[in-house]
Amino acid sequence: GARMTVEMKVKGLMWDPVSRMPIVILRTQEGESVLPIFVGLFEANAIAQQLDGSLSPRPMTHDLLGNLIDALHGRVDRVVITDLRDNTFFAIIHLERNGEKLAIDARPSDAMALALRVKVPIFVEDAVLARSSASGEEGQVDEAERLRRWLETVDPEELGRYEM
């Protein structure tokens, strides 16, 4: 069957109190689905910069990607978070260049930072949302579930600014 995707927006960044890792919070327009994605500190910083609209003195990875694509006369169409396996998310950057469509593998953190920078939509495949909200294995999935439940109750205003 056709793979269904849903558009999600980066709502903010926060610390996971348990793992002490930064989490990017994605949310659908209507807010009925929330997807927490753990990212590295460096990537979280890049995303925070995009959200703040602050510029770094030198191009960061996502700036470089954007500049490269631009220089090669390509255009980012959208990014899609395509899979969740063993607590690892997978993403694809969809590009267009001279009428040719390209799909490039990426880590979600890089894909999201790029999407924010070049202002293109972020989509998530339905299967990822379904898998993220289903708990099966012990440990980490329960962790994601715990987080998701907490996020559903938290006031969006409380998703504090991200502080490095």
Side-chain angles (χ1 to χ4, degrees):
R3 304 171 88 169
M4 298 292 293
T5 60
V6 55
E7 185 175 350
M8 298 188 89
K9 292 252 195 290
V10 176
K11 275 301 174 205
L13 282 137
M14 49 165 286
W15 284 106
D16 177 45
V18 176
S19 68
R20 303 300 300 152
M21 283 294 282
I23 305 164
V24 177
I25 308 302
L26 287 177
R27 223 165 147 182
T28 48
Q29 291 302 96
E30 299 73 31
E32 78 281 3
S33 292
V34 173
L35 184 65
I37 299 183
F38 284 88
V39 295
L41 286 177
F42 185 76
E43 295 77 18
N45 219 357
I47 289 167
Q49 265 191 15
Q50 287 302 313
L51 294 176
D52 284 347
S54 59
L55 288 173
S56 66
R58 307 296 301 131
M60 293 171 77
T61 305
H62 64 288
D63 298 314
L64 174 63
L65 281 175
N67 294 342
L68 269 173
I69 292 162
D70 212 30
L72 295 168
H73 306 292
R75 191 181 61 80
V76 184
D77 182 48
R78 67 193 188 283
V79 307
V80 183
I81 295 170
T82 54
D83 204 359
L84 172 55
R85 290 199 301 271
D86 305 321
N87 296 301
T88 303
F89 286 94
F90 295 81
I92 290 179
I93 298 168
H94 290 274
L95 306 172
E96 206 172 299
R97 182 169 182 259
N98 301 333
E100 185 190 3
K101 291 191 186 303
L102 305 163
I104 314 290
D105 256 336
R107 295 184 308 175
S109 51
D110 292 329
M112 289 186 293
L114 178 65
L116 288 170
R117 183 185 182 283
V118 299
K119 299 182 168 50
V120 298
I122 297 168
F123 290 93
V124 179
E125 296 212 352
D126 281 351
V128 173
L129 285 177
R131 210 162 305 158
S132 160
S133 59
S135 31
E137 308 141 51
E138 261 76 287
Q140 291 233 264
V141 179
D142 291 343
E143 187 71 354
E145 181 64 9
R146 170 188 69 73
L147 204 63
R148 223 175 49 81
R149 292 216 179 100
W150 176 74
L151 283 168
E152 279 167 2
T153 60
V154 80
D155 179 336
E157 299 306 309
E158 276 177 47
L159 296 179
R161 295 305 306 137
Y162 181 83
E163 298 293 339
M164 286 301 289

Coordinates of all heavy atoms in Angstrom, one line a residue, residues 8 11 26 36 41 44 49 52 58 61 88 92 116 130 138 140 150 158:
M8 N 4.6 17.3 10.5 CA 4.8 17.6 11.9 C 5.7 18.8 11.9 O 6.5 19.1 11.0 CB 5.4 16.4 12.6 CG 4.5 15.2 12.7 SD 5.0 13.9 13.8 CE 4.2 14.4 15.3
K11 N 8.3 21.6 17.8 CA 7.6 22.4 18.8 C 8.6 23.0 19.8 O 8.3 24.0 20.5 CB 6.6 21.6 19.5 CG 5.2 21.6 18.8 CD 4.7 23.0 18.6 CE 3.5 23.0 17.8 NZ 3.3 24.3 17.1
L26 N 8.4 16.9 18.2 CA 7.6 17.1 17.0 C 6.1 17.0 17.3 O 5.7 16.1 18.1 CB 8.0 16.1 15.9 CG 9.3 16.2 15.2 CD1 9.5 15.1 14.2 CD2 9.4 17.6 14.5
P36 N 8.6 12.4 20.3 CA 9.9 12.8 20.8 C 11.0 12.1 20.1 O 11.0 10.9 20.0 CB 9.8 12.4 22.3 CG 8.8 11.3 22.3 CD 8.0 11.3 21.1
L41 N 23.9 16.4 21.5 CA 24.0 17.8 21.9 C 24.3 18.8 20.8 O 23.7 19.8 20.7 CB 25.2 17.9 22.9 CG 24.9 17.3 24.3 CD1 26.1 17.4 25.2 CD2 23.7 18.0 25.0
A44 N 21.3 19.2 18.6 CA 20.2 19.9 19.4 C 20.6 21.4 19.3 O 19.7 22.2 19.2 CB 20.2 19.4 20.8
Q49 N 19.4 26.8 17.4 CA 19.8 28.0 16.7 C 18.8 28.3 15.6 O 18.5 29.5 15.5 CB 21.2 27.8 16.1 CG 22.3 28.3 16.9 CD 23.6 28.3 16.1 OE1 23.6 28.2 14.9 NE2 24.7 28.4 16.8
D52 N 15.7 29.7 17.3 CA 16.0 31.1 17.8 C 16.2 32.1 16.7 O 16.1 33.3 17.0 CB 17.2 31.1 18.7 CG 17.0 30.4 20.0 OD1 15.8 30.2 20.3 OD2 18.0 30.1 20.7
R58 N 30.4 30.5 12.0 CA 30.8 29.7 10.9 C 29.7 28.7 10.5 O 28.8 28.4 11.4 CB 32.0 28.8 11.3 CG 33.2 29.6 11.9 CD 33.8 30.6 10.9 NE 34.3 29.9 9.7 CZ 34.0 30.3 8.4 NH1 33.2 31.3 8.2 NH2 34.5 29.7 7.4
T61 N 27.0 22.1 10.2 CA 26.7 21.1 9.2 C 25.5 21.3 8.4 O 25.5 21.2 7.1 CB 26.6 19.7 9.9 OG1 27.8 19.5 10.7 CG2 26.5 18.6 8.9
T88 N 16.2 3.7 17.0 CA 16.9 4.6 16.1 C 16.0 5.0 15.0 O 15.3 4.2 14.3 CB 18.2 3.9 15.4 OG1 19.0 3.4 16.5 CG2 18.9 4.9 14.6
I92 N 15.0 10.7 5.4 CA 15.4 11.0 4.1 C 15.1 12.4 3.7 O 14.1 13.0 4.1 CB 14.6 10.1 3.1 CG1 15.0 8.6 3.3 CG2 14.8 10.5 1.6 CD1 14.3 7.6 2.4
L116 N 14.5 23.1 8.9 CA 14.2 24.4 9.5 C 15.0 25.5 8.9 O 14.5 26.6 8.7 CB 14.6 24.3 11.0 CG 13.7 23.5 11.9 CD1 14.4 23.3 13.3 CD2 12.4 24.1 12.1
A130 N 3.0 5.2 14.8 CA 2.4 4.0 15.4 C 3.4 3.2 16.3 O 3.1 2.8 17.4 CB 1.9 3.1 14.3
E138 N 10.9 -4.1 26.7 CA 11.1 -3.4 28.0 C 12.1 -2.2 27.7 O 12.6 -2.1 26.7 CB 11.8 -4.4 28.9 CG 10.9 -5.0 29.9 CD 10.1 -6.1 29.4 OE1 9.1 -5.9 28.6 OE2 10.4 -7.3 29.6
Q140 N 13.7 0.8 26.8 CA 13.7 2.1 26.0 C 12.4 2.4 25.5 O 12.0 3.6 25.4 CB 14.8 2.0 24.9 CG 16.2 2.0 25.5 CD 17.0 3.1 24.8 OE1 17.7 2.8 23.9 NE2 16.9 4.3 25.4
W150 N 3.9 11.9 29.3 CA 4.2 13.1 30.0 C 4.0 14.3 29.1 O 3.5 15.3 29.5 CB 5.7 13.0 30.5 CG 6.1 14.3 31.2 CD1 5.8 14.8 32.4 CD2 7.0 15.3 30.6 NE1 6.3 16.0 32.6 CE2 7.1 16.4 31.6 CE3 7.6 15.4 29.4 CZ2 7.9 17.5 31.3 CZ3 8.4 16.5 29.2 CH2 8.5 17.6 30.1
E158 N 5.3 25.1 28.7 CA 6.3 24.7 29.7 C 7.5 24.0 29.1 O 8.5 23.8 29.7 CB 5.7 23.6 30.6 CG 4.9 24.2 31.8 CD 4.3 23.1 32.6 OE1 4.9 22.1 32.9 OE2 3.1 23.2 32.9

